[in-house]
Amino acid sequence: AQSVSQHNHHVILSEAASLELGCNYSYGGTVNLFWYVQYPGQHLQLLLKYFSGDPLVKGIKGFEAEFIKSKFSFNLRKPSVQWSDTAEYFCAVNNGAGSYQLTFGKGTKLSVIP
Amino acid sequence: DTGVSQDPRHKITKRGQNVTFRCDPISEHNRLYWYRQTLGQGPEFLTYFQNEAQLEKSRLLSDRFSAERPKGSFSTLEIQRTEQGDSAMYLCASSPAPRGANTIYFGEGSWLTVV
């Protein structure tokens, strides 16, 4: 069975600080990897995704993530956060093309202080 | 906005009552999913449909939970004889038929509070 581990429950940063949120998954086969964001009072939105190819993927709002297969990791990064990035971030994985089930981590709450 | 829509957004019910949630997926999305999210946790997969066929339902939490998608468009999730432990956010999502990689789009969710 797949599982996803997000290392930080709550991260507090000042504006302009750099962000890295950890995500590790356990599954030995082909995986698709996702980061979703949930802003306060809003629905889950896709930030970025990795299916194949370049392991460094860029998403919306300046976010990027790097897939490191040997470490089973898919960490999310942003060089300079803004107050508007305050949200909860979820890492998720499914086992390849056609897969119907996303397995989510518990989420990391990010608070950005102006 | 042509995203996934869910109704009602909030439901408060007494223990033992039945509740039903409706989901309208993005137009032309063949796949429809139901997830549950409790406080402090990520969404948890419950069931999914491809068109009108319910292809996976083993993750439904108990036999009090059932879902339908009779015409392959909207779907309903029913919880019978609600219990306090059913209090959660129920999320619907949809995606196109899988031709390779599959991106899933979520609705805003339906909050259930059982008192």
Side-chain angles (χ1 to χ4, degrees), chain A residues 34 36 38 43-44 46 49 51 90 94 97-102 104-106, chain B residues 31 33 35 37 41-43 48 56 59 98 100-104 106-108:
Chain A
F34 306 80
Y36 283 84
Q38 191 167 30
H43 63 285
L44 280 165
L46 183 67
K49 59 191 178 187
F51 291 150
F90 293 92
N94 69 22
S99 173
Y100 57 82
Q101 180 179 340
L102 272 178
F104 283 84
K106 291 187 176 183
Chain B
R31 285 191 167 181
Y33 311 80
Y35 283 75
Q37 186 176 13
Q41 302 294 320
Y48 97 103
E56 173 57 63
R59 298 298 187 97
N102 192 19
T103 298
I104 296 174
F106 285 85
E108 294 187 340

PDB file of all heavy atoms in Angstrom, chain A residues 34 36 38 43-44 46 49 51 90 94 97-102 104-106, chain B residues 31 33 35 37 41-43 48 56 59 98 100-104 106-108:
ATOM      1  N   PHE A  34       2.009  14.772  -6.851  1.00  0.00           N
ATOM      2  CA  PHE A  34       1.241  16.010  -6.900  1.00  0.00           C
ATOM      3  C   PHE A  34       1.471  16.822  -5.624  1.00  0.00           C
ATOM      4  O   PHE A  34       1.683  16.259  -4.549  1.00  0.00           O
ATOM      5  CB  PHE A  34      -0.265  15.709  -6.992  1.00  0.00           C
ATOM      6  CG  PHE A  34      -0.666  14.794  -8.110  1.00  0.00           C
ATOM      7  CD1 PHE A  34      -0.519  13.426  -7.991  1.00  0.00           C
ATOM      8  CD2 PHE A  34      -1.215  15.306  -9.273  1.00  0.00           C
ATOM      9  CE1 PHE A  34      -0.895  12.570  -9.023  1.00  0.00           C
ATOM     10  CE2 PHE A  34      -1.606  14.466 -10.309  1.00  0.00           C
ATOM     11  CZ  PHE A  34      -1.443  13.092 -10.183  1.00  0.00           C
ATOM     12  N   TYR A  36      -0.953  19.741  -3.849  1.00  0.00           N
ATOM     13  CA  TYR A  36      -2.173  20.526  -3.843  1.00  0.00           C
ATOM     14  C   TYR A  36      -2.065  21.582  -2.741  1.00  0.00           C
ATOM     15  O   TYR A  36      -1.417  21.364  -1.715  1.00  0.00           O
ATOM     16  CB  TYR A  36      -3.390  19.647  -3.559  1.00  0.00           C
ATOM     17  CG  TYR A  36      -3.873  18.816  -4.725  1.00  0.00           C
ATOM     18  CD1 TYR A  36      -3.296  17.586  -5.014  1.00  0.00           C
ATOM     19  CD2 TYR A  36      -4.917  19.259  -5.536  1.00  0.00           C
ATOM     20  CE1 TYR A  36      -3.757  16.815  -6.086  1.00  0.00           C
ATOM     21  CE2 TYR A  36      -5.379  18.508  -6.602  1.00  0.00           C
ATOM     22  CZ  TYR A  36      -4.798  17.280  -6.870  1.00  0.00           C
ATOM     23  OH  TYR A  36      -5.250  16.518  -7.927  1.00  0.00           O
ATOM     24  N   GLN A  38      -4.507  24.317  -0.337  1.00  0.00           N
ATOM     25  CA  GLN A  38      -5.854  24.669   0.112  1.00  0.00           C
ATOM     26  C   GLN A  38      -5.765  25.991   0.866  1.00  0.00           C
ATOM     27  O   GLN A  38      -5.300  26.045   2.011  1.00  0.00           O
ATOM     28  CB  GLN A  38      -6.424  23.570   1.001  1.00  0.00           C
ATOM     29  CG  GLN A  38      -7.890  23.720   1.309  1.00  0.00           C
ATOM     30  CD  GLN A  38      -8.473  22.452   1.923  1.00  0.00           C
ATOM     31  OE1 GLN A  38      -7.784  21.697   2.603  1.00  0.00           O
ATOM     32  NE2 GLN A  38      -9.747  22.213   1.684  1.00  0.00           N
ATOM     33  N   HIS A  43     -11.224  25.459  -1.964  1.00  0.00           N
ATOM     34  CA  HIS A  43     -11.066  24.042  -2.262  1.00  0.00           C
ATOM     35  C   HIS A  43      -9.609  23.713  -2.605  1.00  0.00           C
ATOM     36  O   HIS A  43      -8.800  24.610  -2.814  1.00  0.00           O
ATOM     37  CB  HIS A  43     -11.987  23.653  -3.421  1.00  0.00           C
ATOM     38  CG  HIS A  43     -11.667  24.345  -4.710  1.00  0.00           C
ATOM     39  ND1 HIS A  43     -11.975  25.666  -4.946  1.00  0.00           N
ATOM     40  CD2 HIS A  43     -11.047  23.906  -5.828  1.00  0.00           C
ATOM     41  CE1 HIS A  43     -11.584  25.993  -6.153  1.00  0.00           C
ATOM     42  NE2 HIS A  43     -11.019  24.948  -6.716  1.00  0.00           N
ATOM     43  N   LEU A  44      -9.329  22.437  -2.629  1.00  0.00           N
ATOM     44  CA  LEU A  44      -8.011  21.973  -3.020  1.00  0.00           C
ATOM     45  C   LEU A  44      -7.724  22.363  -4.463  1.00  0.00           C
ATOM     46  O   LEU A  44      -8.527  22.110  -5.353  1.00  0.00           O
ATOM     47  CB  LEU A  44      -7.933  20.450  -2.915  1.00  0.00           C
ATOM     48  CG  LEU A  44      -7.711  19.854  -1.533  1.00  0.00           C
ATOM     49  CD1 LEU A  44      -8.027  18.371  -1.557  1.00  0.00           C
ATOM     50  CD2 LEU A  44      -6.292  20.086  -1.063  1.00  0.00           C
ATOM     51  N   LEU A  46      -4.652  22.316  -7.577  1.00  0.00           N
ATOM     52  CA  LEU A  46      -3.401  21.700  -7.995  1.00  0.00           C
ATOM     53  C   LEU A  46      -2.320  22.763  -8.150  1.00  0.00           C
ATOM     54  O   LEU A  46      -2.494  23.746  -8.863  1.00  0.00           O
ATOM     55  CB  LEU A  46      -3.603  20.958  -9.315  1.00  0.00           C
ATOM     56  CG  LEU A  46      -2.388  20.209  -9.842  1.00  0.00           C
ATOM     57  CD1 LEU A  46      -2.047  19.044  -8.923  1.00  0.00           C
ATOM     58  CD2 LEU A  46      -2.653  19.713 -11.256  1.00  0.00           C
ATOM     59  N   LYS A  49       2.547  19.028 -10.684  1.00  0.00           N
ATOM     60  CA  LYS A  49       2.481  17.576 -10.784  1.00  0.00           C
ATOM     61  C   LYS A  49       3.710  17.064 -11.516  1.00  0.00           C
ATOM     62  O   LYS A  49       4.300  17.764 -12.347  1.00  0.00           O
ATOM     63  CB  LYS A  49       1.217  17.156 -11.530  1.00  0.00           C
ATOM     64  CG  LYS A  49       1.128  17.731 -12.938  1.00  0.00           C
ATOM     65  CD  LYS A  49      -0.239  17.515 -13.548  1.00  0.00           C
ATOM     66  CE  LYS A  49      -0.311  18.135 -14.938  1.00  0.00           C
ATOM     67  NZ  LYS A  49      -1.673  18.089 -15.514  1.00  0.00           N
ATOM     68  N   PHE A  51       4.754  13.625 -13.722  1.00  0.00           N
ATOM     69  CA  PHE A  51       4.349  12.356 -14.317  1.00  0.00           C
ATOM     70  C   PHE A  51       5.571  11.621 -14.864  1.00  0.00           C
ATOM     71  O   PHE A  51       5.728  10.423 -14.657  1.00  0.00           O
ATOM     72  CB  PHE A  51       3.331  12.581 -15.434  1.00  0.00           C
ATOM     73  CG  PHE A  51       1.991  13.067 -14.942  1.00  0.00           C
ATOM     74  CD1 PHE A  51       1.197  13.878 -15.740  1.00  0.00           C
ATOM     75  CD2 PHE A  51       1.506  12.720 -13.692  1.00  0.00           C
ATOM     76  CE1 PHE A  51      -0.048  14.325 -15.297  1.00  0.00           C
ATOM     77  CE2 PHE A  51       0.269  13.157 -13.235  1.00  0.00           C
ATOM     78  CZ  PHE A  51      -0.503  13.958 -14.044  1.00  0.00           C
ATOM     79  N   PHE A  90      -0.682  19.955   0.562  1.00  0.00           N
ATOM     80  CA  PHE A  90      -0.805  18.506   0.611  1.00  0.00           C
ATOM     81  C   PHE A  90      -0.006  17.873  -0.524  1.00  0.00           C
ATOM     82  O   PHE A  90      -0.159  18.256  -1.688  1.00  0.00           O
ATOM     83  CB  PHE A  90      -2.268  18.071   0.464  1.00  0.00           C
ATOM     84  CG  PHE A  90      -3.141  18.464   1.613  1.00  0.00           C
ATOM     85  CD1 PHE A  90      -3.849  19.657   1.596  1.00  0.00           C
ATOM     86  CD2 PHE A  90      -3.267  17.631   2.715  1.00  0.00           C
ATOM     87  CE1 PHE A  90      -4.670  20.023   2.652  1.00  0.00           C
ATOM     88  CE2 PHE A  90      -4.084  17.989   3.779  1.00  0.00           C
ATOM     89  CZ  PHE A  90      -4.778  19.182   3.752  1.00  0.00           C
ATOM     90  N   ASN A  94      -0.134   8.797  -6.799  1.00  0.00           N
ATOM     91  CA  ASN A  94      -0.846   7.637  -7.298  1.00  0.00           C
ATOM     92  C   ASN A  94       0.118   6.780  -8.103  1.00  0.00           C
ATOM     93  O   ASN A  94       1.215   7.194  -8.434  1.00  0.00           O
ATOM     94  CB  ASN A  94      -2.125   7.986  -8.064  1.00  0.00           C
ATOM     95  CG  ASN A  94      -1.865   8.656  -9.395  1.00  0.00           C
ATOM     96  OD1 ASN A  94      -0.795   8.545  -9.977  1.00  0.00           O
ATOM     97  ND2 ASN A  94      -2.865   9.361  -9.889  1.00  0.00           N
ATOM     98  N   ALA A  97      -0.147   5.724 -14.659  1.00  0.00           N
ATOM     99  CA  ALA A  97      -1.171   6.066 -15.639  1.00  0.00           C
ATOM    100  C   ALA A  97      -2.452   5.293 -15.397  1.00  0.00           C
ATOM    101  O   ALA A  97      -2.426   4.074 -15.185  1.00  0.00           O
ATOM    102  CB  ALA A  97      -0.642   5.782 -17.042  1.00  0.00           C
ATOM    103  N   GLY A  98      -3.561   6.000 -15.427  1.00  0.00           N
ATOM    104  CA  GLY A  98      -4.847   5.357 -15.269  1.00  0.00           C
ATOM    105  C   GLY A  98      -5.243   5.085 -13.841  1.00  0.00           C
ATOM    106  O   GLY A  98      -6.358   4.645 -13.577  1.00  0.00           O
ATOM    107  N   SER A  99      -4.353   5.342 -12.905  1.00  0.00           N
ATOM    108  CA  SER A  99      -4.671   5.067 -11.507  1.00  0.00           C
ATOM    109  C   SER A  99      -5.811   5.954 -11.032  1.00  0.00           C
ATOM    110  O   SER A  99      -5.894   7.125 -11.378  1.00  0.00           O
ATOM    111  CB  SER A  99      -3.449   5.320 -10.640  1.00  0.00           C
ATOM    112  OG  SER A  99      -3.790   5.215  -9.271  1.00  0.00           O
ATOM    113  N   TYR A 100      -6.680   5.378 -10.228  1.00  0.00           N
ATOM    114  CA  TYR A 100      -7.855   6.116  -9.791  1.00  0.00           C
ATOM    115  C   TYR A 100      -7.734   6.670  -8.384  1.00  0.00           C
ATOM    116  O   TYR A 100      -8.553   7.455  -7.957  1.00  0.00           O
ATOM    117  CB  TYR A 100      -9.090   5.220  -9.858  1.00  0.00           C
ATOM    118  CG  TYR A 100      -8.971   3.944  -9.050  1.00  0.00           C
ATOM    119  CD1 TYR A 100      -9.211   3.942  -7.689  1.00  0.00           C
ATOM    120  CD2 TYR A 100      -8.600   2.755  -9.656  1.00  0.00           C
ATOM    121  CE1 TYR A 100      -9.094   2.788  -6.937  1.00  0.00           C
ATOM    122  CE2 TYR A 100      -8.474   1.591  -8.909  1.00  0.00           C
ATOM    123  CZ  TYR A 100      -8.732   1.609  -7.552  1.00  0.00           C
ATOM    124  OH  TYR A 100      -8.611   0.463  -6.825  1.00  0.00           O
ATOM    125  N   GLN A 101      -6.754   6.261  -7.631  1.00  0.00           N
ATOM    126  CA  GLN A 101      -6.728   6.605  -6.219  1.00  0.00           C
ATOM    127  C   GLN A 101      -5.517   7.444  -5.875  1.00  0.00           C
ATOM    128  O   GLN A 101      -4.381   7.017  -6.057  1.00  0.00           O
ATOM    129  CB  GLN A 101      -6.703   5.334  -5.373  1.00  0.00           C
ATOM    130  CG  GLN A 101      -6.682   5.604  -3.885  1.00  0.00           C
ATOM    131  CD  GLN A 101      -6.681   4.336  -3.067  1.00  0.00           C
ATOM    132  OE1 GLN A 101      -7.056   3.283  -3.561  1.00  0.00           O
ATOM    133  NE2 GLN A 101      -6.260   4.437  -1.827  1.00  0.00           N
ATOM    134  N   LEU A 102      -5.779   8.644  -5.360  1.00  0.00           N
ATOM    135  CA  LEU A 102      -4.716   9.482  -4.820  1.00  0.00           C
ATOM    136  C   LEU A 102      -4.567   9.184  -3.335  1.00  0.00           C
ATOM    137  O   LEU A 102      -5.557   9.140  -2.615  1.00  0.00           O
ATOM    138  CB  LEU A 102      -5.061  10.959  -4.973  1.00  0.00           C
ATOM    139  CG  LEU A 102      -4.671  11.682  -6.259  1.00  0.00           C
ATOM    140  CD1 LEU A 102      -5.171  13.115  -6.202  1.00  0.00           C
ATOM    141  CD2 LEU A 102      -3.174  11.657  -6.480  1.00  0.00           C
ATOM    142  N   PHE A 104      -2.943  10.822  -0.019  1.00  0.00           N
ATOM    143  CA  PHE A 104      -2.476  12.125   0.448  1.00  0.00           C
ATOM    144  C   PHE A 104      -1.664  11.997   1.727  1.00  0.00           C
ATOM    145  O   PHE A 104      -1.900  11.105   2.552  1.00  0.00           O
ATOM    146  CB  PHE A 104      -3.670  13.033   0.753  1.00  0.00           C
ATOM    147  CG  PHE A 104      -4.327  13.619  -0.453  1.00  0.00           C
ATOM    148  CD1 PHE A 104      -5.289  12.910  -1.156  1.00  0.00           C
ATOM    149  CD2 PHE A 104      -3.995  14.898  -0.889  1.00  0.00           C
ATOM    150  CE1 PHE A 104      -5.911  13.460  -2.268  1.00  0.00           C
ATOM    151  CE2 PHE A 104      -4.605  15.461  -2.001  1.00  0.00           C
ATOM    152  CZ  PHE A 104      -5.563  14.741  -2.688  1.00  0.00           C
ATOM    153  N   GLY A 105      -0.757  12.947   1.924  1.00  0.00           N
ATOM    154  CA  GLY A 105      -0.142  13.143   3.221  1.00  0.00           C
ATOM    155  C   GLY A 105      -1.092  13.913   4.125  1.00  0.00           C
ATOM    156  O   GLY A 105      -2.176  14.322   3.713  1.00  0.00           O
ATOM    157  N   LYS A 106      -0.652  14.117   5.366  1.00  0.00           N
ATOM    158  CA  LYS A 106      -1.521  14.783   6.335  1.00  0.00           C
ATOM    159  C   LYS A 106      -1.561  16.288   6.153  1.00  0.00           C
ATOM    160  O   LYS A 106      -2.374  16.971   6.778  1.00  0.00           O
ATOM    161  CB  LYS A 106      -1.061  14.455   7.757  1.00  0.00           C
ATOM    162  CG  LYS A 106      -1.294  13.001   8.139  1.00  0.00           C
ATOM    163  CD  LYS A 106      -0.979  12.763   9.595  1.00  0.00           C
ATOM    164  CE  LYS A 106      -1.310  11.325   9.980  1.00  0.00           C
ATOM    165  NZ  LYS A 106      -1.078  11.074  11.422  1.00  0.00           N
TER     166      LYS A 106
ATOM    167  N   ARG B  31     -14.556  10.351 -15.008  1.00  0.00           N
ATOM    168  CA  ARG B  31     -14.326   9.789 -13.686  1.00  0.00           C
ATOM    169  C   ARG B  31     -14.792  10.753 -12.605  1.00  0.00           C
ATOM    170  O   ARG B  31     -14.600  11.966 -12.703  1.00  0.00           O
ATOM    171  CB  ARG B  31     -12.849   9.476 -13.485  1.00  0.00           C
ATOM    172  CG  ARG B  31     -12.414   8.220 -14.235  1.00  0.00           C
ATOM    173  CD  ARG B  31     -11.043   7.798 -13.812  1.00  0.00           C
ATOM    174  NE  ARG B  31     -10.738   6.453 -14.274  1.00  0.00           N
ATOM    175  CZ  ARG B  31      -9.607   5.832 -14.035  1.00  0.00           C
ATOM    176  NH1 ARG B  31      -8.668   6.437 -13.325  1.00  0.00           N
ATOM    177  NH2 ARG B  31      -9.393   4.613 -14.484  1.00  0.00           N
ATOM    178  N   TYR B  33     -14.961  10.976  -8.203  1.00  0.00           N
ATOM    179  CA  TYR B  33     -14.400  10.396  -6.986  1.00  0.00           C
ATOM    180  C   TYR B  33     -15.059  11.033  -5.759  1.00  0.00           C
ATOM    181  O   TYR B  33     -15.433  12.200  -5.778  1.00  0.00           O
ATOM    182  CB  TYR B  33     -12.899  10.696  -6.884  1.00  0.00           C
ATOM    183  CG  TYR B  33     -12.093  10.411  -8.119  1.00  0.00           C
ATOM    184  CD1 TYR B  33     -12.073  11.315  -9.178  1.00  0.00           C
ATOM    185  CD2 TYR B  33     -11.321   9.261  -8.218  1.00  0.00           C
ATOM    186  CE1 TYR B  33     -11.328  11.071 -10.304  1.00  0.00           C
ATOM    187  CE2 TYR B  33     -10.555   9.015  -9.357  1.00  0.00           C
ATOM    188  CZ  TYR B  33     -10.566   9.925 -10.394  1.00  0.00           C
ATOM    189  OH  TYR B  33      -9.808   9.667 -11.513  1.00  0.00           O
ATOM    190  N   TYR B  35     -14.010  11.575  -1.653  1.00  0.00           N
ATOM    191  CA  TYR B  35     -12.998  11.511  -0.607  1.00  0.00           C
ATOM    192  C   TYR B  35     -13.611  12.060   0.671  1.00  0.00           C
ATOM    193  O   TYR B  35     -14.593  12.813   0.648  1.00  0.00           O
ATOM    194  CB  TYR B  35     -11.789  12.381  -0.954  1.00  0.00           C
ATOM    195  CG  TYR B  35     -10.835  11.795  -1.972  1.00  0.00           C
ATOM    196  CD1 TYR B  35     -11.170  11.765  -3.319  1.00  0.00           C
ATOM    197  CD2 TYR B  35      -9.599  11.285  -1.589  1.00  0.00           C
ATOM    198  CE1 TYR B  35     -10.297  11.229  -4.253  1.00  0.00           C
ATOM    199  CE2 TYR B  35      -8.713  10.754  -2.515  1.00  0.00           C
ATOM    200  CZ  TYR B  35      -9.079  10.731  -3.847  1.00  0.00           C
ATOM    201  OH  TYR B  35      -8.213  10.196  -4.772  1.00  0.00           O
ATOM    202  N   GLN B  37     -12.350  14.043   4.343  1.00  0.00           N
ATOM    203  CA  GLN B  37     -11.246  14.717   5.028  1.00  0.00           C
ATOM    204  C   GLN B  37     -11.670  15.100   6.430  1.00  0.00           C
ATOM    205  O   GLN B  37     -12.667  15.798   6.612  1.00  0.00           O
ATOM    206  CB  GLN B  37     -10.807  15.965   4.249  1.00  0.00           C
ATOM    207  CG  GLN B  37      -9.562  16.630   4.823  1.00  0.00           C
ATOM    208  CD  GLN B  37      -9.088  17.801   3.980  1.00  0.00           C
ATOM    209  OE1 GLN B  37      -9.793  18.286   3.101  1.00  0.00           O
ATOM    210  NE2 GLN B  37      -7.872  18.261   4.236  1.00  0.00           N
ATOM    211  N   GLN B  41      -6.008  15.888   8.883  1.00  0.00           N
ATOM    212  CA  GLN B  41      -5.653  14.787   7.987  1.00  0.00           C
ATOM    213  C   GLN B  41      -5.795  15.223   6.535  1.00  0.00           C
ATOM    214  O   GLN B  41      -6.530  16.157   6.217  1.00  0.00           O
ATOM    215  CB  GLN B  41      -6.571  13.586   8.222  1.00  0.00           C
ATOM    216  CG  GLN B  41      -6.548  13.046   9.635  1.00  0.00           C
ATOM    217  CD  GLN B  41      -5.225  12.444  10.005  1.00  0.00           C
ATOM    218  OE1 GLN B  41      -4.582  11.760   9.189  1.00  0.00           O
ATOM    219  NE2 GLN B  41      -4.776  12.681  11.229  1.00  0.00           N
ATOM    220  N   GLY B  42      -5.116  14.500   5.655  1.00  0.00           N
ATOM    221  CA  GLY B  42      -5.337  14.715   4.237  1.00  0.00           C
ATOM    222  C   GLY B  42      -6.572  13.976   3.773  1.00  0.00           C
ATOM    223  O   GLY B  42      -7.111  13.123   4.496  1.00  0.00           O
ATOM    224  N   PRO B  43      -7.051  14.286   2.589  1.00  0.00           N
ATOM    225  CA  PRO B  43      -8.218  13.569   2.061  1.00  0.00           C
ATOM    226  C   PRO B  43      -7.967  12.069   1.964  1.00  0.00           C
ATOM    227  O   PRO B  43      -6.864  11.628   1.647  1.00  0.00           O
ATOM    228  CB  PRO B  43      -8.403  14.194   0.672  1.00  0.00           C
ATOM    229  CG  PRO B  43      -7.778  15.547   0.769  1.00  0.00           C
ATOM    230  CD  PRO B  43      -6.612  15.367   1.685  1.00  0.00           C
ATOM    231  N   TYR B  48     -14.985   5.512  -6.436  1.00  0.00           N
ATOM    232  CA  TYR B  48     -14.960   6.242  -7.691  1.00  0.00           C
ATOM    233  C   TYR B  48     -15.810   5.559  -8.747  1.00  0.00           C
ATOM    234  O   TYR B  48     -16.110   4.367  -8.664  1.00  0.00           O
ATOM    235  CB  TYR B  48     -13.534   6.469  -8.180  1.00  0.00           C
ATOM    236  CG  TYR B  48     -13.004   5.483  -9.195  1.00  0.00           C
ATOM    237  CD1 TYR B  48     -12.918   5.821 -10.544  1.00  0.00           C
ATOM    238  CD2 TYR B  48     -12.554   4.243  -8.791  1.00  0.00           C
ATOM    239  CE1 TYR B  48     -12.412   4.931 -11.469  1.00  0.00           C
ATOM    240  CE2 TYR B  48     -12.051   3.337  -9.710  1.00  0.00           C
ATOM    241  CZ  TYR B  48     -11.964   3.692 -11.050  1.00  0.00           C
ATOM    242  OH  TYR B  48     -11.461   2.817 -11.964  1.00  0.00           O
ATOM    243  N   GLU B  56     -14.842   1.016  -7.837  1.00  0.00           N
ATOM    244  CA  GLU B  56     -14.132   0.712  -6.604  1.00  0.00           C
ATOM    245  C   GLU B  56     -14.967   1.262  -5.454  1.00  0.00           C
ATOM    246  O   GLU B  56     -15.254   2.458  -5.413  1.00  0.00           O
ATOM    247  CB  GLU B  56     -12.745   1.345  -6.604  1.00  0.00           C
ATOM    248  CG  GLU B  56     -11.991   1.217  -5.282  1.00  0.00           C
ATOM    249  CD  GLU B  56     -11.821  -0.220  -4.835  1.00  0.00           C
ATOM    250  OE1 GLU B  56     -11.156  -0.993  -5.557  1.00  0.00           O
ATOM    251  OE2 GLU B  56     -12.354  -0.576  -3.766  1.00  0.00           O
ATOM    252  N   ARG B  59     -13.383   0.949  -0.226  1.00  0.00           N
ATOM    253  CA  ARG B  59     -12.900   1.897   0.765  1.00  0.00           C
ATOM    254  C   ARG B  59     -14.026   2.690   1.421  1.00  0.00           C
ATOM    255  O   ARG B  59     -13.759   3.538   2.284  1.00  0.00           O
ATOM    256  CB  ARG B  59     -11.915   2.874   0.120  1.00  0.00           C
ATOM    257  CG  ARG B  59     -10.682   2.195  -0.445  1.00  0.00           C
ATOM    258  CD  ARG B  59      -9.889   1.488   0.629  1.00  0.00           C
ATOM    259  NE  ARG B  59      -8.635   0.979   0.126  1.00  0.00           N
ATOM    260  CZ  ARG B  59      -7.476   1.605   0.246  1.00  0.00           C
ATOM    261  NH1 ARG B  59      -7.424   2.773   0.857  1.00  0.00           N
ATOM    262  NH2 ARG B  59      -6.379   1.076  -0.247  1.00  0.00           N
ATOM    263  N   PRO B  98      -8.857   8.272 -18.354  1.00  0.00           N
ATOM    264  CA  PRO B  98      -7.405   8.179 -18.326  1.00  0.00           C
ATOM    265  C   PRO B  98      -6.803   7.824 -19.677  1.00  0.00           C
ATOM    266  O   PRO B  98      -7.026   6.760 -20.202  1.00  0.00           O
ATOM    267  CB  PRO B  98      -7.142   7.073 -17.314  1.00  0.00           C
ATOM    268  CG  PRO B  98      -8.369   6.242 -17.339  1.00  0.00           C
ATOM    269  CD  PRO B  98      -9.487   7.175 -17.623  1.00  0.00           C
ATOM    270  N   GLY B 100      -3.213   8.064 -20.243  1.00  0.00           N
ATOM    271  CA  GLY B 100      -1.945   8.487 -19.666  1.00  0.00           C
ATOM    272  C   GLY B 100      -2.188   9.085 -18.307  1.00  0.00           C
ATOM    273  O   GLY B 100      -3.043   8.635 -17.556  1.00  0.00           O
ATOM    274  N   ALA B 101      -1.450  10.109 -17.990  1.00  0.00           N
ATOM    275  CA  ALA B 101      -1.482  10.685 -16.652  1.00  0.00           C
ATOM    276  C   ALA B 101      -2.842  11.313 -16.348  1.00  0.00           C
ATOM    277  O   ALA B 101      -3.549  11.757 -17.236  1.00  0.00           O
ATOM    278  CB  ALA B 101      -0.384  11.719 -16.524  1.00  0.00           C
ATOM    279  N   ASN B 102      -3.170  11.352 -15.099  1.00  0.00           N
ATOM    280  CA  ASN B 102      -4.525  11.658 -14.666  1.00  0.00           C
ATOM    281  C   ASN B 102      -4.507  12.750 -13.608  1.00  0.00           C
ATOM    282  O   ASN B 102      -4.029  12.532 -12.511  1.00  0.00           O
ATOM    283  CB  ASN B 102      -5.123  10.374 -14.092  1.00  0.00           C
ATOM    284  CG  ASN B 102      -6.605  10.466 -13.873  1.00  0.00           C
ATOM    285  OD1 ASN B 102      -7.255  11.323 -14.444  1.00  0.00           O
ATOM    286  ND2 ASN B 102      -7.144   9.597 -13.053  1.00  0.00           N
ATOM    287  N   THR B 103      -4.999  13.925 -13.935  1.00  0.00           N
ATOM    288  CA  THR B 103      -5.074  15.012 -12.966  1.00  0.00           C
ATOM    289  C   THR B 103      -6.492  15.100 -12.433  1.00  0.00           C
ATOM    290  O   THR B 103      -7.456  15.101 -13.201  1.00  0.00           O
ATOM    291  CB  THR B 103      -4.679  16.351 -13.611  1.00  0.00           C
ATOM    292  OG1 THR B 103      -3.327  16.257 -14.063  1.00  0.00           O
ATOM    293  CG2 THR B 103      -4.782  17.477 -12.603  1.00  0.00           C
ATOM    294  N   ILE B 104      -6.617  15.158 -11.137  1.00  0.00           N
ATOM    295  CA  ILE B 104      -7.913  15.151 -10.466  1.00  0.00           C
ATOM    296  C   ILE B 104      -8.215  16.549  -9.948  1.00  0.00           C
ATOM    297  O   ILE B 104      -7.361  17.195  -9.342  1.00  0.00           O
ATOM    298  CB  ILE B 104      -7.896  14.126  -9.319  1.00  0.00           C
ATOM    299  CG1 ILE B 104      -7.699  12.728  -9.888  1.00  0.00           C
ATOM    300  CG2 ILE B 104      -9.178  14.196  -8.501  1.00  0.00           C
ATOM    301  CD1 ILE B 104      -7.529  11.654  -8.849  1.00  0.00           C
ATOM    302  N   PHE B 106     -10.758  18.945  -7.637  1.00  0.00           N
ATOM    303  CA  PHE B 106     -11.620  18.820  -6.463  1.00  0.00           C
ATOM    304  C   PHE B 106     -12.660  19.929  -6.388  1.00  0.00           C
ATOM    305  O   PHE B 106     -12.426  21.058  -6.822  1.00  0.00           O
ATOM    306  CB  PHE B 106     -10.785  18.852  -5.183  1.00  0.00           C
ATOM    307  CG  PHE B 106     -10.050  17.571  -4.927  1.00  0.00           C
ATOM    308  CD1 PHE B 106      -8.819  17.331  -5.516  1.00  0.00           C
ATOM    309  CD2 PHE B 106     -10.597  16.598  -4.108  1.00  0.00           C
ATOM    310  CE1 PHE B 106      -8.145  16.141  -5.293  1.00  0.00           C
ATOM    311  CE2 PHE B 106      -9.925  15.404  -3.878  1.00  0.00           C
ATOM    312  CZ  PHE B 106      -8.698  15.181  -4.482  1.00  0.00           C
ATOM    313  N   GLY B 107     -13.803  19.591  -5.791  1.00  0.00           N
ATOM    314  CA  GLY B 107     -14.800  20.586  -5.447  1.00  0.00           C
ATOM    315  C   GLY B 107     -14.514  21.197  -4.092  1.00  0.00           C
ATOM    316  O   GLY B 107     -13.503  20.871  -3.447  1.00  0.00           O
ATOM    317  N   GLU B 108     -15.404  22.079  -3.640  1.00  0.00           N
ATOM    318  CA  GLU B 108     -15.178  22.808  -2.400  1.00  0.00           C
ATOM    319  C   GLU B 108     -15.552  21.992  -1.168  1.00  0.00           C
ATOM    320  O   GLU B 108     -15.234  22.387  -0.060  1.00  0.00           O
ATOM    321  CB  GLU B 108     -15.943  24.127  -2.422  1.00  0.00           C
ATOM    322  CG  GLU B 108     -15.403  25.075  -3.485  1.00  0.00           C
ATOM    323  CD  GLU B 108     -16.029  26.443  -3.410  1.00  0.00           C
ATOM    324  OE1 GLU B 108     -17.121  26.577  -2.827  1.00  0.00           O
ATOM    325  OE2 GLU B 108     -15.421  27.392  -3.931  1.00  0.00           O
TER     326      GLU B 108
END
